[in-house]
Amino acid sequence: MHTAPHPASCGLTMPLPSHLLPALVLVLGCPGWAWVPNHCRSPRDTICNFVCDCRGCFDEAQCGYNGAPATRVTPFTCDFEQDSCGWRDISTSSGYGWLRDRAGAVLEGPGPHSDHTLGTDLGWYVAVGTHRGKEASIAALRSPVLQEAAPTCELRLWYHVASGGVAELRLELTHGTETLALWQRSGPWGPDWQELVVVPGRIRGDFRVTFSATRNATHRGAVALDDVAFWGCGLPTPQASCPLGHHHCQNKACVEPHQMCDGEDNCGDSSDEDNPACSHHLSTNFEMGLGSWNHSEGWTWNRSVSVAEHPAWPRRDHSRNSAQGYFLASVAEPSSPAFLYSPELQASGPHNCSLIFYHYLHGSEASQLQLYLQVESPSGPQDPVLLRRRHGELGATWVRDRVDIQSEHPFRFLLAGQTGPGGVVGLDDLILSDHCKPVLELSSWSPGRWASVLRRQLTSLWPQGLCEPGQLSCGDLCVPREQLCDFQQQCDGGEDEQACGTTDFETPTAGGWEDTSVGWLQWERRRANESGGPGTDAGGAAAGHFLSLQRAWGQRTADARVLTSTLGPSGPHCELHMAYYFQSHPQGFLALVVVQGGTRELVWEAPSSSSSTWKVDTVLLGKRPRPFRLEFVSLVDFDGPGQQGAGVDNVIMKDCNPTVATKKDTEVSCNFERDTCGWHTGHVTDTHWRRMESRDPGFDHTTGKGYFMLLDPMDPPARGSGAHLLTQPQTPVAPQECLSFWYHLHGPQTGTLRLVLRQEGKPDVHLWSRSGTHGNCWHEAWATLHHQTDSDAQYQLLFEGLRDAYHGTMALDDVALRPGPCWAPKHCSFEDSACGFSSEGPWSRQANATGHAARGPRTDHTTETAQGHYMIVDTSPQALPRGHVASLTSEEHRPLTRPACLTFWYHLSLRNPGTLQVHLEGAGRRRVLSISGRGGLAWRMGSVDVRAQQSWRVVFEAMAAGVECSYIALDDLLVQDGPCPQPASCDFETGLCGWSHLPQRGLGGYSWDWSSGATPSRYPQPAVDHTLGTDAGHFALFETGVLGPGGRAAWLRSQPLPATKTSCLRFWYHMGFPEHFYKGELRVLLSSARGQLVVWGVGGHLRHLWLEGQVEVASTEEFQIVFEATLGGQPALGPIALDDVEYLAGQRCQLPIPSQGDTAVATVVPATVGGALLLLVLLVLLGLMGRHWLWKKGGCPFRDGTSVAPGFDNVLFNADQVTLPASVTNNP
């Protein structure tokens, strides 16, 4: 008796890291999948059948996917980047339906902040849910009519759900009069994109797929859908001839020999199943009962429609692919498995008796199906022999398997099933080949005796005595399931950690690794001299065992998967050591994946090799919460040229105990030159910090040639919300500690970097944060850690990089921790704390996110949103009587080695709040600035020069005027080297001088940056600046190449400037675009309450020269100057740079002196705009009259949610006309 080898079949797909998917497409090949580009049948037969019948594949366009000339098993995909691919909204609820959308087009809301295809805010998807409803509603999205899905058809898609907004999601298939629920879920919903994989199976004729979302009455019900892909759904196409040994179907398609009589319509016309050769097979499909498999214990003969309430119950049988079809199912517990016996079969002699069976394991990782063989020898029945064992979660699909037996004596098959809570084991379509002939005469065989033997074997693995089910018994201990494989030994003999990944594969348990393959490849523990490849195990022994990649009988996905038991938690130093061999052409792969929740993280991949020699490698797994599992995934083409294969041996899990601390764990101070010290990567998403060596365009801070930590949101491609870099728990050494570090935030669209203090059982404390670009240079920052003196509680430090922008990098270097408090920070935005300011009087830190703040501006200055924070003092008489003073005092700033400029932004109420005075305290106290009078709608900038050779403080004093509904607010304090510049003037040598580069979401969310020619950058930039004329000089710049769909422009805005009859703006600009293809444009706008007025503009030049520009400006009211970088057409890679901006208040422009061979002509703008503005002027006057009426009534401005927002309106003027900006007129 022996089993025959397993030939391959054509199948495809499983949820894989996207990095590996192209390899599946390139490696797989099967004659039945050939594409016939020049054979185009009648239109009705060719439309949406998953086969490119016509040249250009136009017959597969708008089919829920967009067809393209494809290679064999390339999936048909819709990423929604160009259109909706024929998907149509069929919702009946008003206001709750599907539409094609883009994250960048939604300024706020519960939907995703990036699509799944690109992972950025420029990508498209279909979404539903933009407003709250008053009743429960269903939004339905339906595919076009599809036809003729193959048995291997698989549908994958990615969905995103706003937490708590959706009651249920459903995916249904309508075929004829029957509607099948392929999938449904009621939560919980994760924060990121989640993958859904369903197997429609063989469908004859027309069908549709519908994705629906049910919204609760009180929620938005926001759902998004992206990257819909149909894998392996096309039937084989006609061929003139078939390869040797293949079956030629009646419709001229070709199928492999083992696909004959296997219970699936692989030809597409059923000629492989209606073949005369199949009439000699003994097939049991359970439609009319158990057939010849009439001895059963613990199995239920049932249909899908009968047990609809069980979430894991099969929704269709395999035979008919219908909810009306019958199958066997069991929910038997491990202590009482279910048994199914075949009829007694005659000795097969030299012929193969083949059993094909379809099994279903879903709902529980404890699900298990075992196939045994019992031989009736002349001396009596022999003990059962295990032929197959399937264990774990295989998904809601029917999986094919096959065994081939040669026996000199009569025999029987036995199938034993068991599962855990919530799980179901199913069987359907048991097919015995023509050499499996039932015994005609009655035998004395007793199923009860056989079952009792097997039951003892199966239940011996489970604990006896006082231990509860699922617990491990070792001595007097009962180890709970959650403490198994936690890398902390509980049993004296280590039994609780024996099946946890570490193994040399010499024992049958194989370290707990379980094959979960469902395709034509599988992992098997094999003897080295019987498995091909190296011929020995990793230790050189021919008789040794290792984990080997072998052929299998599955029909679903192509690659092979093998999983560990549930592991964790692991410590930060956890490593996997292994030996492996991988012999394949470049299209194959061998990879290690971490499976955690609904995510799959690729952590290692073997390089391509033509050699079958053993190699060793180490993979850092790091700190991970429980539960997670490790999975080896591999794909090779055994039928391809040359020898191919893969194997794994000597797997060792090392240093994974999370409770074992090392000296290295206390190393918070780190320059990252040797390693990451006590810092480790948190595995919460697929986005990670990486230790990088200095090379263009990145460089470290320590030496300029060393190492640093880098977070790039797009390299490698990622979809997670952010990345964590954190320490192990630390013990405070002082009541106060100072953490200093250097950070680098650079790029036209850069995310948020946060520093967080974390303590167990307490909410996280945000110590520091920065958002957006801070120039192409390193900045120093620090934060004071405050610890309770009466507590020994430990703490963790966490750098969190949020992936809320996609065209910029974050970097960290030179982290240092010392006892004692820090100096006052150089920059304070009040977003995370009060920055150590102490107050006397009614100063407070607030935001206006709820819209119900009693006093203060509706938005802060840092973020220009209601969620932003600022400091405010209420100067109303009841809070601060007339003449009384409220002070706000900083911590000590460190001494200055050179003069510096202190800038801050302030906001005064419309009603006179009194006076804001600024004092500097060092050796003495002196007043350096006094601001009084009524305020306005905008934040204004104040600045003072500071010279202090010893420690110093800044004090803000508010002296109240005794007026109701009045206040003073402060935000964005900054200490910067060098003297304070004149308003709206800057040489950019030390920064942006108060020019704001805050991204405008309506324009795409991009920012101007700051750099120098000597600083390496991934973006093109001028080689020298204009101020110094060297590569050491600095300038402001914007890379227009990032502009595209949704990215319209970037603004650089001055501080608010007072009205002027005439003033001169002078600046130097640099533009470089490809010759004959320049679409870049630099414009100067004047922004006021009336809107934006274009006063100057120039197109791109490939001249690599600094050119002078100047323009006379005039405004009858407060205004801002805006430099706008934009494109006039398709994106073109090219920088726009600015330098030496000078605003000459009250002066007219002089004709420029020719410089560098170029002359720019001055532009004069009239002080008045023209008749087109008269109407708007009247509207403004009406608004002022309304505000005056409010004052008379005694109301407080800005308390009502409908009041005018601070800042300036977004209406664009040209000198002779009024137009609306692109963000208003363009449909994204």
Side-chain angles (χ1 to χ4, degrees):
M1 178 187 69
H2 68 275
T3 58
H6 312 305
S9 66
C10 277
L12 187 61
T13 67
M14 64 162 276
L16 264 184
S18 58
H19 175 70
L20 301 181
L21 289 179
L24 283 174
V25 173
L26 293 172
V27 138
L28 292 177
C30 170
W33 289 98
W35 170 56
V36 187
N38 295 318
H39 179 70
C40 189
R41 301 191 296 273
S42 63
R44 178 64 184 88
D45 296 331
T46 64
I47 295 175
C48 302
N49 66 347
F50 308 103
V51 177
C52 289
D53 301 283
C54 303
R55 186 178 299 276
C57 208
F58 64 81
D59 55 310
E60 299 301 306
Q62 297 298 304
C63 295
Y65 52 86
N66 282 326
T71 58
R72 298 182 180 179
V73 291
T74 303
F76 287 104
T77 303
C78 181
D79 57 16
F80 302 104
E81 295 304 313
Q82 302 300 324
D83 52 43
S84 297
C85 308
W87 288 88
R88 188 167 59 90
D89 177 54
I90 59 168
S91 309
T92 58
S93 303
S94 176
Y96 190 59
W98 293 88
L99 53 85
R100 181 169 166 264
D101 205 351
R102 180 176 52 81
V106 182
L107 300 184
E108 58 182 20
H113 298 293
S114 63
D115 77 326
H116 181 264
T117 310
L118 304 178
T120 74
D121 59 346
L122 297 183
W124 293 81
Y125 47 76
V126 288
V128 61
T130 57
H131 64 277
R132 300 182 186 274
K134 297 181 179 179
E135 59 184 14
S137 303
I138 298 177
L141 183 70
R142 175 172 290 176
S143 73
V145 175
L146 308 171
Q147 54 181 331
E148 298 296 339
T152 54
C153 184
E154 187 173 88
L155 170 61
R156 298 180 180 184
L157 58 87
W158 290 83
Y159 66 94
H160 185 284
V161 181
S163 179
V166 176
E168 183 185 63
L169 295 179
R170 291 175 66 90
L171 184 66
E172 297 176 322
L173 185 147
T174 302
H175 176 226
T177 60
E178 184 178 22
T179 296
L180 297 173
L182 299 179
W183 173 83
Q184 68 183 70
R185 184 176 174 186
S186 301
W189 314 110
D192 301 315
W193 286 96
Q194 301 176 68
E195 187 177 29
L196 169 62
V197 180
V198 297
V199 182
R202 176 72 176 105
I203 304 174
R204 296 172 176 84
D206 297 347
F207 67 96
R208 293 176 183 264
V209 177
T210 303
F211 190 89
S212 61
T214 302
R215 177 184 65 181
N216 292 321
T218 58
H219 293 80
R220 293 178 183 266
V223 184
L225 196 66
D226 203 359
D227 289 332
V228 180
F230 293 87
W231 288 81
C233 294
L235 290 167
T237 56
Q239 305 291 317
S241 62
C242 295
L244 183 64
H246 286 62
H247 172 69
H248 212 170
C249 307
Q250 291 182 8
N251 61 6
K252 302 303 180 181
C254 299
V255 298
E256 296 188 54
H258 68 272
Q259 294 179 299
M260 294 287 295
C261 311
D262 68 344
E264 292 199 328
D265 176 18
N266 298 292
C267 285
D269 62 357
S270 299
S271 59
D272 56 323
E273 300 303 311
D274 297 337
N275 193 283
C278 303
S279 62
H280 301 291
H281 289 59
L282 183 59
S283 178
T284 302
N285 60 14
F286 301 111
E287 294 304 313
M288 303 302 294
L290 300 187
S292 59
W293 297 70
N294 52 14
H295 293 285
S296 171
E297 298 179 22
W299 294 94
T300 301
W301 179 58
N302 217 318
R303 297 185 297 176
S304 299
V305 295
S306 303
V307 194
E309 68 277 4
H310 197 299
W313 198 261
R315 299 186 180 276
R316 297 157 290 158
D317 74 330
H318 176 264
S319 311
R320 298 170 53 186
N321 197 23
S322 169
Q324 304 298 325
Y326 285 87
F327 49 83
L328 292 186
S330 175
V331 292
E333 297 179 353
S335 59
S336 181
F339 298 103
L340 179 68
Y341 311 91
S342 76
E344 186 174 5
L345 304 172
Q346 300 177 28
S348 62
H351 303 288
N352 276 339
C353 167
S354 300
L355 168 64
I356 295 175
F357 61 99
Y358 290 83
H359 54 285
Y360 178 98
L361 277 71
H362 182 46
S364 172
E365 297 290 350
S367 297
Q368 181 172 280
L369 179 69
Q370 293 175 308
L371 173 65
Y372 289 89
L373 175 73
Q374 193 255 342
V375 175
E376 188 74 26
S377 67
S379 60
Q382 299 179 4
D383 287 340
V385 177
L386 179 65
L387 300 179
R388 283 284 191 278
R389 178 176 182 268
R390 298 309 307 268
H391 180 270
E393 170 64 71
L394 300 185
T397 182
W398 293 97
V399 180
R400 180 181 63 196
D401 205 346
R402 169 176 164 172
V403 293
D404 296 334
I405 297 297
Q406 294 178 6
S407 177
E408 299 296 331
H409 305 286
F411 61 94
R412 289 177 184 268
F413 293 107
L414 172 106
L415 287 158
Q418 62 192 48
T419 187
V424 175
V425 179
L427 287 170
D428 201 1
D429 286 331
L430 310 182
I431 304 171
L432 293 165
S433 69
D434 52 350
H435 292 292
C436 303
K437 301 184 183 300
V439 174
L440 299 179
E441 69 275 6
L442 296 175
S443 68
S444 59
W445 177 82
S446 171
R449 175 183 175 277
W450 197 14
S452 63
V453 173
L454 286 173
R455 188 172 286 109
R456 285 196 300 271
Q457 292 182 8
L458 292 171
T459 58
S460 64
L461 301 175
W462 290 88
Q464 306 294 320
L466 299 177
C467 291
E468 299 178 359
Q471 294 184 340
L472 174 68
S473 175
C474 58
D476 296 331
L477 285 179
C478 290
V479 182
R481 186 187 300 271
E482 58 271 15
Q483 292 182 4
L484 300 178
C485 298
D486 64 351
F487 307 110
Q488 302 174 61
Q489 183 174 316
Q490 310 290 332
C491 303
D492 293 337
E495 296 90 339
D496 56 320
E497 301 297 320
Q498 286 182 352
C500 305
T502 296
T503 180
D504 59 5
F505 296 102
E506 295 305 319
T507 61
T509 56
W513 291 89
E514 292 278 358
D515 178 69
T516 57
S517 309
V518 292
W520 54 268
L521 292 175
Q522 65 182 353
W523 290 98
E524 281 189 338
R525 175 182 167 268
R526 284 288 190 94
R527 189 184 297 272
N529 54 14
E530 298 175 353
S531 62
T536 68
D537 69 355
H545 294 77
F546 65 88
L547 194 63
S548 177
L549 192 64
Q550 299 291 322
R551 296 180 185 268
W553 294 104
Q555 87 286 23
R556 292 300 177 212
T557 62
D559 49 312
R561 302 175 289 166
V562 62
L563 278 161
T564 64
S565 306
T566 298
L567 308 176
S570 62
H573 309 298
C574 183
E575 294 178 334
L576 181 139
H577 297 247
M578 64 177 168
Y580 73 95
Y581 91 88
F582 177 56
Q583 187 178 14
S584 174
H585 297 289
Q587 293 85 355
F589 61 81
L590 170 64
L592 179 65
V593 174
V594 177
V595 181
Q596 195 162 8
T599 65
R600 301 171 55 79
E601 178 190 350
L602 177 67
V603 294
W604 174 85
E605 186 176 3
S608 298
S609 173
S610 59
S611 170
S612 62
T613 58
W614 287 100
K615 303 178 178 65
V616 295
D617 209 344
T618 300
V619 182
L620 177 64
L621 300 174
K623 184 173 183 177
R624 297 177 183 271
R626 185 182 182 95
F628 71 90
R629 305 174 80 186
L630 302 180
E631 178 182 73
F632 280 109
V633 188
S634 188
L635 178 69
V636 300
D637 184 5
F638 282 125
D639 297 322
Q643 186 177 4
Q644 301 194 43
V648 177
D649 201 3
N650 293 347
V651 178
I652 300 174
M653 305 289 290
K654 185 178 180 182
D655 298 331
C656 292
N657 190 332
T659 64
V660 175
T662 66
K663 182 180 179 181
K664 185 178 178 180
D665 293 333
T666 63
E667 296 179 1
V668 176
S669 298
C670 189
N671 61 13
F672 303 107
E673 296 302 309
R674 183 188 73 241
D675 51 32
T676 61
C677 309
W679 296 86
H680 64 271
T681 299
H683 296 274
V684 290
T685 72
D686 61 349
T687 309
H688 298 302
W689 289 91
R690 302 180 187 277
R691 179 172 170 264
M692 301 293 292
E693 186 177 5
S694 295
R695 62 180 183 270
D696 287 347
F699 59 97
D700 81 322
H701 174 262
T702 311
T703 66
K705 300 178 181 179
Y707 290 82
F708 60 98
M709 299 301 295
L710 177 71
L711 174 59
D712 188 332
M714 298 302 294
D715 184 24
R719 301 295 181 270
S721 57
H724 288 178
L725 183 68
L726 65 163
T727 67
Q728 282 286 82
Q730 305 292 316
T731 301
V733 298
Q736 291 181 319
E737 295 178 290
C738 179
L739 181 79
S740 63
F741 55 93
W742 290 80
Y743 68 95
H744 189 285
L745 300 176
H746 174 51
Q749 191 192 58
T750 308
T752 301
L753 177 62
R754 291 176 179 167
L755 174 62
V756 177
L757 186 142
R758 176 170 292 175
Q759 287 184 295
E760 187 175 355
K762 296 182 180 180
D764 288 351
V765 178
H766 289 192
L767 301 175
W768 175 94
S769 69
R770 293 290 182 271
S771 295
T773 181
H774 279 59
N776 191 15
C777 66
W778 288 94
H779 299 273
E780 187 181 15
W782 50 82
T784 300
L785 316 181
H786 297 273
H787 307 297
Q788 296 181 357
T789 56
D790 58 346
S791 174
D792 295 330
Q794 293 185 312
Y795 68 92
Q796 285 180 283
L797 293 173
L798 162 67
F799 281 106
E800 181 181 24
L802 298 183
R803 195 171 170 276
D804 51 2
Y806 311 100
H807 293 281
T809 58
M810 306 179 191
L812 289 167
D813 204 0
D814 293 334
V815 181
L817 181 67
R818 62 172 178 81
C822 299
W823 295 108
K826 285 185 175 181
H827 180 205
C828 178
S829 65
F830 301 110
E831 292 306 307
D832 303 292
S833 68
C835 302
F837 274 89
S838 59
S839 63
E840 295 181 9
W843 283 95
S844 63
R845 173 176 166 267
Q846 79 169 30
N848 196 19
T850 62
H852 300 299
R855 304 284 188 275
R858 293 184 58 194
T859 65
D860 74 330
H861 177 263
T862 312
T863 68
E864 295 186 3
T865 68
Q867 289 72 36
H869 290 79
Y870 49 82
M871 297 296 293
I872 185 172
V873 57
D874 185 355
T875 55
S876 300
Q878 64 272 22
L880 192 67
R882 178 183 176 89
H884 285 223
V885 173
S887 62
L888 187 67
T889 305
S890 74
E891 295 178 321
E892 281 192 336
H893 286 265
R894 65 181 176 187
L896 302 174
T897 58
R898 54 180 295 189
C901 177
L902 167 66
T903 61
F904 59 93
W905 291 79
Y906 63 93
H907 196 289
L908 305 182
S909 59
L910 286 171
R911 295 186 175 185
N912 181 18
T915 303
L916 174 64
Q917 296 182 346
V918 183
H919 300 264
L920 296 181
E921 290 184 350
R925 175 184 173 101
R926 59 190 179 92
R927 188 177 69 185
V928 292
L929 185 65
S930 179
I931 302 169
S932 61
R934 292 179 178 176
L937 302 179
W939 287 89
R940 297 178 174 85
M941 190 176 81
S943 61
V944 295
D945 288 300
V946 182
R947 291 177 174 81
Q949 297 181 350
Q950 58 186 7
S951 60
W952 57 280
R953 301 175 189 265
V954 58
V955 181
F956 294 94
E957 286 188 346
M959 179 177 292
V963 178
E964 291 285 351
C965 299
S966 61
Y967 62 84
I968 297 174
L970 291 173
D971 203 0
D972 283 331
L973 280 67
L974 176 64
V975 178
Q976 207 162 21
D977 290 339
C980 294
Q982 294 298 312
S985 299
C986 192
D987 62 9
F988 300 107
E989 290 309 311
T990 59
L992 296 179
C993 312
W995 285 83
S996 172
H997 60 169
L998 189 71
Q1000 304 295 305
R1001 287 298 302 270
L1003 299 177
Y1006 293 103
S1007 299
W1008 283 75
D1009 217 324
W1010 180 75
S1011 188
S1012 69
T1015 308
S1017 174
R1018 64 176 59 191
Y1019 307 104
Q1021 59 185 20
V1024 299
D1025 78 328
H1026 178 264
T1027 310
L1028 305 179
T1030 70
D1031 61 0
H1034 292 80
F1035 41 77
L1037 83 157
F1038 180 72
E1039 170 48 54
T1040 59
V1042 298
L1043 296 179
R1048 303 184 182 92
W1051 280 3
L1052 187 66
R1053 296 177 297 163
S1054 74
Q1055 65 192 80
L1057 300 170
T1060 177
K1061 291 184 178 180
T1062 182
S1063 295
C1064 183
L1065 174 68
R1066 297 175 57 187
F1067 54 92
W1068 290 82
Y1069 65 95
H1070 184 289
M1071 305 178 74
F1073 290 87
E1075 199 75 50
H1076 308 302
F1077 185 65
Y1078 55 87
K1079 295 294 184 180
E1081 185 177 355
L1082 176 65
R1083 299 198 297 180
V1084 178
L1085 315 178
L1086 300 187
S1087 177
S1088 69
R1090 297 185 181 186
Q1092 283 85 45
L1093 174 66
V1094 180
V1095 297
W1096 185 90
V1098 66
H1101 297 275
L1102 184 66
R1103 303 178 71 170
H1104 300 295
L1105 297 174
W1106 286 99
L1107 305 175
E1108 184 179 13
Q1110 60 178 336
V1111 57
E1112 287 187 359
V1113 298
S1115 178
T1116 57
E1117 59 188 356
E1118 189 178 51
F1119 68 101
Q1120 289 175 285
I1121 298 170
V1122 179
F1123 285 102
E1124 180 184 69
T1126 186
L1127 286 176
Q1130 294 299 316
L1133 193 66
I1136 297 177
L1138 281 173
D1139 203 0
D1140 293 331
V1141 178
E1142 187 177 16
Y1143 177 68
L1144 303 173
Q1147 300 182 31
R1148 302 187 68 89
C1149 291
Q1150 304 297 321
L1151 287 176
I1153 300 174
S1155 174
Q1156 300 181 12
D1158 295 285
T1159 304
V1161 179
T1163 304
V1164 179
V1165 180
T1168 59
V1169 175
L1173 302 181
L1174 292 178
L1175 179 60
L1176 290 175
V1177 171
L1178 291 175
L1179 291 175
V1180 171
L1181 291 175
L1182 288 173
L1184 293 174
M1185 292 174 62
R1187 187 179 295 119
H1188 179 72
W1189 179 81
L1190 280 175
W1191 293 340
K1192 290 289 187 179
K1193 298 288 288 183
C1196 291
F1198 307 114
R1199 189 167 184 174
D1200 189 300
T1202 62
S1203 57
V1204 179
F1208 303 109
D1209 294 336
N1210 193 23
V1211 179
L1212 183 65
F1213 299 98
N1214 285 303
D1216 58 349
Q1217 60 182 334
V1218 179
T1219 61
L1220 292 176
S1223 59
V1224 177
T1225 60
N1226 287 2
N1227 186 14

